[in-house]
Amino acid sequence: MRIYYNIVDVAELYQPNYQPPFGYDRIVDDFVYQTVAFTQRPGANYLSKMVSAGSVHEIVMPRIDMLGTDIKEVIDIIHFFNENDVSVQFSEEKR
């Protein structure tokens, strides 16, 4: 399953040109501040359960900093995804 994960600013949803991402099996949005730890976000917890169950093969999110509040948390989450054979891509990172 291909998942798009995002932290959404509620104001974005009411913009006239807002378009949800397409081409994904499921979209998981968190309506929380990015300062909340990944493991404390409802959408991230749901995503982690799906990863643990083996349902996910790819996660796409806008930026790597959405994975955590500090570098250790980011590394721990990436390690968790890697252990479960999940590819992680960042759609807004410069190449």
Side-chain angles (χ1 to χ4, degrees), residues 6-14 30-32:
N6 195 16
I7 296 175
V8 177
D9 178 355
V10 177
E12 285 180 35
L13 298 176
Y14 298 103
D30 260 328
F31 298 92
V32 297

Side-chain angles (χ1 to χ4, degrees), residues 3-7 26-30 42-44 46-47 50:
I3 306 276
Y4 185 85
Y5 174 77
N6 195 16
I7 296 175
R26 187 157 300 171
I27 297 170
V28 177
D29 288 329
D30 260 328
Y46 172 73
L47 180 61
M50 292 175 55

